[in-house]
Amino acid sequence: MQRWFSLLVFGVCVVGWPSSSAQAPDISGAWAHLQVMSSLTNAPVLGTINLKTLTTLRLEVTQKGTDLSIVFEPCAVESESSSPFFKVIFPEAFVKYMGIDTKPARLESVGSTWQLFQPRYTIVRGVRLQDPEKDPLPTDPNDPRIFDQDKDGKPGMTIRVSVLGFIEGEIYIIQRDWNSLRSTTLNTMIIDGLIQWGSEQVVIGASNPLLASQSENVPDPKPENSYFRTTRIEPNTTCEQIMKNREKLFGR
């Protein structure tokens, strides 16, 4: 079943570094990273709307030749809706307990440039699956594989939803998200690119019965609407500092 929104948590890709030598560029270090995931969402009552999920992260890149290991620390998750009557709010606990993920990536020489490519990477939340890639998401709230990941006393992960300003409440969900990233721009301070992604969500409960239905959510068919922006930062820069300066870091 599909989810109302999508957040995918995150990778970096690079294009645009002249290959003046055979040696791969050094992109190790700390980076501020913004992912924008655009989707078409079948919202309750309102029908199909455009929804963007914006995830801000702090990255730490370790490099050995062309092989990369990227640590993704979430700082914030927010949403923007094409309708003023539909809002999704990610509580602080959701972000806190998303977890810090480490993803493999690599640098690829393409013509006269280098690209950073992160292959497809899958994450499940609120449920433990023997095969995270292939096992169906459970739909029974009493399935023992479902757990309270954000530690708020409710199963799965909790988000808040508001429809028309008066249909409001919490939704308890489990998720499976995947993404694959490839850059379009690189210089010594910036790595930007596009994201391919997919998402599944099962609503396993809600504080308001009107919000308990399953709704379809698909990636925006325009690939340029799902993208990332990445800016090099000082090694001791914190998530709090990234959020405070994000207009400067990502405003391009």
Side-chain angles (χ1 to χ4, degrees), residues 81-183:
S81 171
S82 62
S83 170
F85 304 111
F86 183 75
K87 295 181 180 179
V88 176
I89 299 169
F90 299 88
E92 183 177 340
F94 185 103
V95 180
K96 179 179 179 180
Y97 291 104
M98 282 173 60
I100 297 175
D101 298 300
T102 301
K103 300 181 183 181
R106 63 180 180 266
L107 292 174
E108 297 180 344
S109 178
V110 180
S112 61
T113 67
W114 284 93
Q115 296 181 355
L116 189 156
F117 173 62
Q118 178 218 299
R120 175 171 172 149
Y121 188 93
T122 299
I123 297 172
V124 294
R125 296 190 174 91
V127 62
R128 298 182 179 96
L129 301 177
Q130 186 173 0
D131 186 342
E133 290 276 355
K134 298 180 180 179
D135 286 353
L137 294 179
T139 57
D140 182 355
N142 298 314
D143 192 300
R145 294 173 295 174
I146 297 173
F147 70 104
D148 178 15
Q149 182 167 334
D150 54 7
K151 302 184 187 301
D152 67 348
K154 307 297 192 328
M157 299 282 278
T158 300
I159 61 171
R160 299 191 186 102
V161 175
S162 174
V163 183
L164 300 174
F166 64 87
I167 304 174
E168 299 180 319
E170 295 181 342
I171 298 177
Y172 316 122
I173 60 174
I174 56 175
Q175 301 174 325
R176 173 168 34 222
D177 296 330
W178 68 267
N179 70 5
S180 178
L181 313 177
R182 187 177 290 277
S183 67

Side-chain angles (χ1 to χ4, degrees), residues 3-53:
R3 42 179 293 195
W4 292 357
F5 66 95
S6 298
L7 58 111
L8 282 202
V9 287
F10 325 103
V12 185
C13 300
V14 187
V15 167
W17 194 301
S19 59
S20 56
S21 70
Q23 185 175 1
D26 182 3
I27 62 166
S28 60
W31 300 79
H33 182 67
L34 172 69
Q35 287 197 352
V36 178
M37 316 294 285
S38 297
S39 63
L40 302 179
T41 298
N42 183 21
V45 181
L46 299 174
T48 301
I49 63 171
N50 294 98
L51 191 68
K52 291 183 179 180
T53 300

Side-chain angles (χ1 to χ4, degrees), residues 58-62 69-73 100-103:
R58 184 188 186 280
L59 307 187
E60 193 71 38
V61 180
T62 302
S69 177
I70 306 177
V71 177
F72 297 84
E73 177 188 356
I100 297 175
D101 298 300
T102 301
K103 300 181 183 181

